[in-house]
Structures are given as structure tokens and as C-alpha cells.
Amino acid sequence: MQLVRLIYVSRMTEDCDMSGIQKILEVSRKKNRAQDITGVLCYDPAFFLQCLEGPRAAVNSLYASIVQDPRHRDVLLLGYCDAESREFAEWSMAFLATRDLDSQALAQYAGGGKLDPYALSAKQAHDLLAGIVAQERERLTAQAAEGA
Ligand code: FAD
């Protein structure tokens, strides 16, 4: 099986709100588990930043569907690569909201200014997600125990 990792950024539309995000997470976790997809979704009022990892055909097909979703727009693919192993193996879809994160931790990925995920390289986006997941591991593990 060819394992791949995909990272994209997008902006939430008026078709979505926090309860919409909860719905997305509910559906995503169920569908991702069935497709052997894992990952993380980071939400900020100004953007979604998501990493999907799993079998190539499943990730490609899910991304094709996500791009069409009217609950977000301006979808920009930041990175797509083969992966030797999973970075977010424990989560069918871990969820982090930037408002719950240490602002200093986020600032380090923004070069001291305001974080603009559209300006990140694939490696920077990956390192940001891996970094905040590592920091929030305890909370995310509890989230996973509740079904993430
Ligand atoms: P259905 O549920 O049958 O929906 C049909 C279409 O309607 C879909 O194309 C969907 O885009 C749209 N749609 C569904 N519900 C709503 C709604 N409440 N409001 C407006 N439009 C709607 N899905 C995953 O399985 N895994 C993920 O990791 C994942 N991550 C996502 C991240 C973001 C930021 C967004 C916006 C969506 C994400 N989704 C994810 C949802 C995905 O786009 C599909 O809606 C979902 O996979 C169900 O697809 P379906 O083909 O079964 O469509």
C-alpha cells in the first residue's frame, strides 16, 4: 500500500459555523476510520489547515470531495508526498482551534508576525501541525478516547 500525506489550507465560508465544524468532525471521523485515513484539522477564524494521511487512492478521493465542499473556499494544496509512516496515526481526525493554543507557539511558525498559512511551504505547514499536535498531545489523546 502506498501511504501519502496531503496538506491544504482553506477559508471557512458563511455556510459553516462552529456547529458545522462539529458536524464535519463527526462525519470525518467515521468516514476516515473506514478508509484508514488519519490526520489533523486546525481551525482558525481565518483558515482551516488540514493534514490527511493514508492510502493514496483514499486520500486522493477524499481530497477531491473536500475541494468541492461549500463550507470552505480558496482551497490551496500546500503539500502532497509519499510517507514512510504516519505522523498522526492515533487520530482519525484530531481537532485543534488556534484560540486554544499557546499564541507564542503559533508565532514561532509565523516568523514573529501574524500566521498566514497560505504563505507556508509544505515543510513549514507540516512542522506547524506536528508541533502543535505534540504540544497538545494530552488533550488530543483525551479527545481520541471520546471517539476522534
Ligand atoms: P454527503 O454527505 O452525501 O454530501 C454531499 C455533498 O454536500 C458533499 O460534497 C459536501 O461537500 C456537501 N455537504 C455535506 N454536508 C453539508 C452541509 N452541512 N452543508 C453544506 N454542504 C454540505 N470528510 C471526511 O470524510 N474526512 C475529512 O477528513 C474531512 N475533512 C473536511 C475538512 C473541511 C475543512 C471540510 C469543509 C470538509 C471536510 N470533510 C471531510 C467533509 C467532506 O467534504 C464531505 O462533506 C464528507 O466527506 C461527506 O462526503 P459525501 O460524499 O458522503 O457527501
Side-chain angles (χ1 to χ4, degrees):
M1 177 193 69
Q2 191 67 53
L3 192 67
V4 298
R5 179 174 303 118
L6 181 155
I7 304 181
Y8 74 84
V9 61
S10 64
R11 297 184 218 280
M12 190 163 85
T13 60
E14 42 299 324
D15 287 6
C16 196
D17 56 17
M18 283 315 285
S19 74
I21 294 175
Q22 281 311 322
K23 186 75 200 157
I24 288 171
L25 286 172
E26 216 175 281
V27 172
S28 298
R29 286 168 179 165
K30 204 160 132 204
K31 289 190 69 179
N32 292 358
R33 215 169 276 127
Q35 295 292 322
D36 195 21
I37 290 174
T38 51
V40 56
L41 177 65
C42 177
Y43 162 77
D44 179 274
F47 62 82
F48 285 119
L49 183 62
Q50 186 175 34
C51 175
L52 302 167
E53 51 188 19
R56 181 166 58 193
V59 169
N60 289 3
S61 162
L62 174 58
Y63 182 64
S65 151
I66 286 177
V67 165
Q68 305 283 337
D69 197 311
R71 291 169 286 185
H72 65 167
R73 62 183 166 85
D74 303 337
V75 181
L76 180 70
L77 183 63
L78 296 178
Y80 180 90
C81 62
D82 290 337
E84 282 183 13
S85 60
R86 292 174 192 256
E87 188 85 53
F88 308 107
E90 293 140 85
W91 299 285
S92 55
M93 192 45 61
F95 177 70
L96 291 166
T98 55
R99 60 160 188 247
D100 299 329
L101 299 172
D102 176 351
S103 54
Q104 278 192 331
L106 274 178
Q108 71 179 312
Y109 297 101
K114 187 166 163 41
L115 178 64
D116 174 9
Y118 282 87
L120 296 176
S121 68
K123 181 175 179 339
Q124 286 170 324
H126 167 269
D127 290 352
L128 185 159
L129 289 173
I132 57 180
V133 164
Q135 273 176 14
E136 298 293 316
R137 180 162 289 279
E138 214 168 286
R139 189 152 60 83
L140 291 172
T141 302
Q143 203 182 75
E146 289 162 18

Short mmCIF file of all heavy atoms in Angstrom, two decimals, residues 8 24 27-28 31-32 41 48 50 52 62 65-66 68-72 93, ligand 1:
data_model
loop_
_atom_site.label_atom_id
_atom_site.label_comp_id
_atom_site.label_asym_id
_atom_site.label_seq_id
_atom_site.Cartn_x
_atom_site.Cartn_y
_atom_site.Cartn_z
N TYR A 8 -3.47 20.91 3.08
CA TYR A 8 -4.03 22.05 2.35
C TYR A 8 -4.50 23.10 3.34
O TYR A 8 -4.67 22.84 4.54
CB TYR A 8 -5.20 21.60 1.44
CG TYR A 8 -6.46 21.29 2.22
CD1 TYR A 8 -7.35 22.29 2.58
CD2 TYR A 8 -6.74 19.99 2.63
CE1 TYR A 8 -8.50 22.02 3.31
CE2 TYR A 8 -7.88 19.71 3.36
CZ TYR A 8 -8.76 20.71 3.69
OH TYR A 8 -9.88 20.44 4.43
N ILE A 24 -18.82 18.34 10.65
CA ILE A 24 -17.75 17.88 9.76
C ILE A 24 -16.88 16.86 10.49
O ILE A 24 -16.53 15.80 9.95
CB ILE A 24 -16.88 19.08 9.28
CG1 ILE A 24 -17.66 19.93 8.28
CG2 ILE A 24 -15.57 18.60 8.67
CD1 ILE A 24 -16.98 21.25 7.92
N VAL A 27 -18.70 13.40 10.95
CA VAL A 27 -18.74 12.62 9.70
C VAL A 27 -17.32 12.17 9.32
O VAL A 27 -17.08 11.02 8.95
CB VAL A 27 -19.36 13.47 8.56
CG1 VAL A 27 -19.23 12.78 7.21
CG2 VAL A 27 -20.82 13.77 8.87
N SER A 28 -16.37 13.10 9.45
CA SER A 28 -14.99 12.81 9.05
C SER A 28 -14.41 11.64 9.84
O SER A 28 -13.78 10.75 9.27
CB SER A 28 -14.08 14.01 9.30
OG SER A 28 -14.49 15.09 8.55
N LYS A 31 -15.97 8.39 8.60
CA LYS A 31 -15.55 8.02 7.24
C LYS A 31 -14.05 7.75 7.18
O LYS A 31 -13.60 6.84 6.50
CB LYS A 31 -15.94 9.13 6.25
CG LYS A 31 -17.44 9.21 6.02
CD LYS A 31 -17.79 10.13 4.87
CE LYS A 31 -17.33 9.56 3.54
NZ LYS A 31 -17.68 10.43 2.41
N ASN A 32 -13.27 8.55 7.88
CA ASN A 32 -11.82 8.37 7.83
C ASN A 32 -11.41 7.01 8.41
O ASN A 32 -10.53 6.33 7.87
CB ASN A 32 -11.09 9.49 8.57
CG ASN A 32 -11.23 10.83 7.86
OD1 ASN A 32 -11.85 10.91 6.81
ND2 ASN A 32 -10.70 11.87 8.44
N LEU A 41 -7.07 18.50 11.84
CA LEU A 41 -7.70 19.69 11.29
C LEU A 41 -7.48 20.82 12.30
O LEU A 41 -7.86 20.71 13.46
CB LEU A 41 -9.20 19.46 11.09
CG LEU A 41 -10.02 20.66 10.59
CD1 LEU A 41 -9.60 21.06 9.17
CD2 LEU A 41 -11.52 20.34 10.61
N PHE A 48 -8.75 27.10 7.65
CA PHE A 48 -8.63 25.70 8.04
C PHE A 48 -7.26 25.26 7.53
O PHE A 48 -6.87 25.61 6.40
CB PHE A 48 -9.64 24.81 7.32
CG PHE A 48 -11.06 24.90 7.80
CD1 PHE A 48 -12.06 25.32 6.95
CD2 PHE A 48 -11.40 24.50 9.08
CE1 PHE A 48 -13.39 25.36 7.36
CE2 PHE A 48 -12.72 24.54 9.51
CZ PHE A 48 -13.71 24.98 8.65
N GLN A 50 -5.43 21.55 7.16
CA GLN A 50 -5.70 20.13 7.41
C GLN A 50 -4.63 19.24 6.80
O GLN A 50 -4.14 19.49 5.70
CB GLN A 50 -7.06 19.73 6.83
CG GLN A 50 -7.46 18.30 7.20
CD GLN A 50 -8.86 17.92 6.74
OE1 GLN A 50 -9.31 18.37 5.69
NE2 GLN A 50 -9.54 17.07 7.50
N LEU A 52 -4.10 15.18 5.82
CA LEU A 52 -4.73 13.87 5.65
C LEU A 52 -3.62 12.89 5.32
O LEU A 52 -2.77 13.18 4.47
CB LEU A 52 -5.70 13.89 4.46
CG LEU A 52 -6.85 14.90 4.51
CD1 LEU A 52 -7.50 14.98 3.13
CD2 LEU A 52 -7.86 14.49 5.56
N LEU A 62 -10.80 11.47 -1.19
CA LEU A 62 -11.35 12.36 -0.15
C LEU A 62 -11.04 13.82 -0.47
O LEU A 62 -11.91 14.69 -0.36
CB LEU A 62 -10.79 11.97 1.23
CG LEU A 62 -11.18 12.92 2.37
CD1 LEU A 62 -12.70 13.03 2.51
CD2 LEU A 62 -10.55 12.48 3.69
N SER A 65 -13.29 15.32 -2.92
CA SER A 65 -14.60 15.64 -2.36
C SER A 65 -14.52 16.89 -1.46
O SER A 65 -15.39 17.78 -1.52
CB SER A 65 -15.09 14.40 -1.61
OG SER A 65 -15.91 14.72 -0.56
N ILE A 66 -13.47 17.00 -0.68
CA ILE A 66 -13.30 18.15 0.22
C ILE A 66 -13.22 19.46 -0.58
O ILE A 66 -13.81 20.48 -0.20
CB ILE A 66 -12.04 17.96 1.10
CG1 ILE A 66 -12.32 16.90 2.18
CG2 ILE A 66 -11.62 19.28 1.75
CD1 ILE A 66 -11.11 16.57 3.07
N GLN A 68 -14.64 20.30 -3.17
CA GLN A 68 -15.98 20.72 -3.67
C GLN A 68 -16.89 21.19 -2.55
O GLN A 68 -17.99 21.66 -2.82
CB GLN A 68 -16.68 19.50 -4.31
CG GLN A 68 -15.92 18.80 -5.40
CD GLN A 68 -15.97 19.57 -6.70
OE1 GLN A 68 -16.89 20.37 -6.90
NE2 GLN A 68 -14.97 19.40 -7.54
N ASP A 69 -16.47 21.03 -1.32
CA ASP A 69 -17.36 21.29 -0.19
C ASP A 69 -17.64 22.79 -0.04
O ASP A 69 -16.71 23.59 0.10
CB ASP A 69 -16.72 20.73 1.09
CG ASP A 69 -17.72 20.56 2.22
OD1 ASP A 69 -18.47 21.52 2.49
OD2 ASP A 69 -17.75 19.49 2.82
N PRO A 70 -18.92 23.20 -0.06
CA PRO A 70 -19.23 24.64 0.00
C PRO A 70 -18.99 25.28 1.38
O PRO A 70 -19.14 26.49 1.52
CB PRO A 70 -20.73 24.68 -0.35
CG PRO A 70 -21.25 23.34 0.04
CD PRO A 70 -20.14 22.36 -0.16
N ARG A 71 -18.63 24.47 2.36
CA ARG A 71 -18.40 25.05 3.69
C ARG A 71 -17.04 25.71 3.81
O ARG A 71 -16.70 26.28 4.83
CB ARG A 71 -18.59 23.97 4.76
CG ARG A 71 -20.05 23.55 4.87
CD ARG A 71 -20.23 22.32 5.71
NE ARG A 71 -19.80 21.11 5.00
CZ ARG A 71 -19.94 19.90 5.47
NH1 ARG A 71 -20.49 19.71 6.64
NH2 ARG A 71 -19.53 18.84 4.76
N HIS A 72 -16.25 25.64 2.75
CA HIS A 72 -14.99 26.39 2.72
C HIS A 72 -14.67 26.77 1.28
O HIS A 72 -15.33 26.32 0.34
CB HIS A 72 -13.84 25.62 3.39
CG HIS A 72 -13.45 24.35 2.72
ND1 HIS A 72 -12.30 23.67 3.03
CD2 HIS A 72 -14.05 23.61 1.74
CE1 HIS A 72 -12.20 22.59 2.30
NE2 HIS A 72 -13.24 22.53 1.52
N MET A 93 -9.25 12.03 13.06
CA MET A 93 -9.15 13.46 12.73
C MET A 93 -9.04 14.25 14.04
O MET A 93 -10.04 14.57 14.68
CB MET A 93 -10.36 13.95 11.90
CG MET A 93 -10.18 15.34 11.28
SD MET A 93 -8.55 15.62 10.50
CE MET A 93 -8.49 14.37 9.21
P1 FAD B 1 -22.56 13.85 1.50
O1 FAD B 1 -22.53 13.87 2.99
O2 FAD B 1 -23.54 12.95 0.78
O3 FAD B 1 -22.72 15.34 0.98
C1 FAD B 1 -22.80 15.67 -0.42
C2 FAD B 1 -22.11 16.99 -0.67
O4 FAD B 1 -22.73 18.03 0.07
C3 FAD B 1 -20.65 16.90 -0.27
O5 FAD B 1 -19.89 17.15 -1.44
C4 FAD B 1 -20.45 18.00 0.75
O6 FAD B 1 -19.42 18.85 0.26
C5 FAD B 1 -21.77 18.76 0.79
N1 FAD B 1 -22.25 18.87 2.20
C6 FAD B 1 -22.43 17.89 3.09
N2 FAD B 1 -22.91 18.35 4.24
C7 FAD B 1 -23.06 19.69 4.08
C8 FAD B 1 -23.54 20.75 4.90
N3 FAD B 1 -23.94 20.56 6.16
N4 FAD B 1 -23.52 22.00 4.39
C9 FAD B 1 -23.11 22.24 3.14
N5 FAD B 1 -22.67 21.27 2.30
C10 FAD B 1 -22.64 20.02 2.77
N6 FAD B 1 -14.83 14.48 5.17
C11 FAD B 1 -14.19 13.34 5.52
O7 FAD B 1 -14.74 12.25 5.28
N7 FAD B 1 -12.96 13.38 6.12
C12 FAD B 1 -12.31 14.54 6.41
O8 FAD B 1 -11.22 14.50 6.98
C13 FAD B 1 -12.96 15.76 6.06
N8 FAD B 1 -12.41 16.95 6.32
C14 FAD B 1 -13.06 18.10 5.98
C15 FAD B 1 -12.45 19.34 6.25
C16 FAD B 1 -13.11 20.53 5.89
C17 FAD B 1 -12.45 21.85 6.19
C18 FAD B 1 -14.37 20.48 5.25
C19 FAD B 1 -15.07 21.75 4.88
C20 FAD B 1 -14.98 19.26 5.00
C21 FAD B 1 -14.34 18.08 5.35
N9 FAD B 1 -14.91 16.84 5.11
C22 FAD B 1 -14.25 15.67 5.45
C23 FAD B 1 -16.27 16.74 4.58
C24 FAD B 1 -16.29 16.33 3.10
O9 FAD B 1 -16.08 17.46 2.29
C25 FAD B 1 -17.64 15.65 2.75
O10 FAD B 1 -18.70 16.50 3.10
C26 FAD B 1 -17.81 14.38 3.55
O11 FAD B 1 -16.70 13.52 3.33
C27 FAD B 1 -19.10 13.64 3.13
O12 FAD B 1 -18.98 13.37 1.79
P2 FAD B 1 -20.09 12.58 0.96
O13 FAD B 1 -19.58 12.41 -0.42
O14 FAD B 1 -20.50 11.36 1.73
O15 FAD B 1 -21.16 13.65 0.87
#
